Amino acid sequence: MKTLDNIPRPGYLDKIIPYTGKGIIKVLTGQRRVGKSYILRAVEEEIRKTSPEANYITVNLEDFAFAHITDAEALNHEICSRLSPSLMNYIFIDEVQEVEGFDKVLRSLNLDSHNDIYVTGSNSSMLSSEIASRLAGRSLEFRIHPLSYTEFLEFHALNDSDDEVYAYLRYGGMPYLRNLSSRASWNEYLTGITDALVYRDIVTRHSLRNTDFLQRMLMFMADNVGQLFTAKRIADYLKSQRLGGTVGSVQTYADYICDAYIVNKSRRWDIEGKRYFEIGEKYYFEDLGIRNSIVGYRPTDISGLLENAVYNKLVSDGCEVMTGIMPKGREIDFVAERGGERRYIQVAVNVSDPATAEREFGNLRDISDNYEKILVTLRDSAPNTNDGIRMMSLREFLCEDY
């Protein structure tokens, strides 16, 4: 069996390597255990091929060997003591958010053109509030996602089939699953990861005391994937569970959950008015295995899982993804934009019911521009087109190279 280290994820390397030696800090962000550390090592290995004589400095802040690094001063001392004055220094820091004030160290190191810096972090606040604001123009984020469906097949040495699509919808794309001997142990691993995400990246980081409130919010989100979310709606639900909570606290906790990369937000966008709505959004889980570890895998949830899988594919393809709103409140599940191009995508388990078919095709048909329109169903994709609207099965969509 291959080890995890020698299964490449070339899509990420192709994005990162062109910025080697460009004087900009490369920041790899994403949920815990999605493979950021492996990609960081792969970047180092790739650079070593062309610059074997350079000086390489690696610091993994989750490794006990670096337990002495407890603040920015210690981090700066560790790296500066290992710098070469005459060679190019390639600096790799794993889980940099563990050190408060790390941005000051990165800013200082980046002043020297002989230093090329790569870091990983598992909390989106790290980039938005700590790096992006203080290192404006000096850093570039590369978002690392769980395995795509095609990567899932490669990592587990599987052939594309309906059964494996269902396995992907059930277990998701956490890379380490391939190192576990049987799928019976996958659920236990995913539950452990979920606990780490909740308690380390949310409860501990934000010093939260009301963990029951947080758990209920996560369960509500998992139960309502792809449904319209408003802070008032969930506050009312939590009050019905006798947990209390205000609209403001609901929004704050939702932001914490997003910051830990557990869920992603899709804002609503007026297709005709070309503007965002200020209230109401939809949430999708970064990894379906994590979602299922919270509320369980239930075949009755297939509609939400299908929609979530399509959303994740679009995001991993580098699209900006929105929920389209048409006149009279009609929805287009996804408006995906990349490189000045746009796609409109509807998702349905099937369209065998005439009313469902008319609703899904009709909404797409009523969009006046000529961008591509796609209807994704769970299995059947025939006929291939309907009034110029392309039909695809989920398998076809997940395997499409976009």
Side-chain angles (χ1 to χ4, degrees), residues 279-317:
I279 299 176
E281 54 272 321
K282 294 186 176 184
Y283 288 93
Y284 298 95
F285 277 75
E286 174 76 353
D287 182 76
L288 288 173
I290 297 297
R291 181 266 174 196
N292 295 332
S293 75
I294 295 171
V295 292
Y297 174 77
R298 302 169 299 203
T300 53
D301 295 338
I302 191 63
S303 179
L305 296 174
L306 171 61
E307 193 171 319
N308 205 140
V310 171
Y311 175 88
N312 288 351
K313 171 67 163 62
L314 292 169
V315 171
S316 67
D317 282 343

Side-chain angles (χ1 to χ4, degrees), residues 39-41 43-45 47-48 55-60 79 89-94 116-120:
I39 293 173
L40 191 69
R41 288 205 292 271
V43 170
E44 179 180 351
E45 291 172 4
I47 296 173
R48 283 181 180 272
N55 183 42
Y56 292 85
I57 301 171
T58 300
V59 176
N60 182 355
I79 295 174
N89 297 291
Y90 292 100
I91 303 166
F92 302 87
I93 309 174
D94 213 359
D116 194 24
I117 306 168
Y118 304 78
V119 302
T120 74

Side-chain angles (χ1 to χ4, degrees), residues 4-5 9 13 28-45 58-63 92-96 119-122 144 175:
L4 192 60
D5 302 76
R9 299 182 73 180
L13 294 181
L28 282 62
T29 62
Q31 191 182 86
R32 288 189 184 274
R33 302 296 179 259
V34 295
K36 299 184 301 296
S37 299
Y38 290 107
I39 293 173
L40 191 69
R41 288 205 292 271
V43 170
E44 179 180 351
E45 291 172 4
T58 300
V59 176
N60 182 355
L61 291 168
E62 288 197 324
D63 189 333
F92 302 87
I93 309 174
D94 213 359
E95 299 296 353
V96 72
V119 302
T120 74
S122 298
I144 310 301

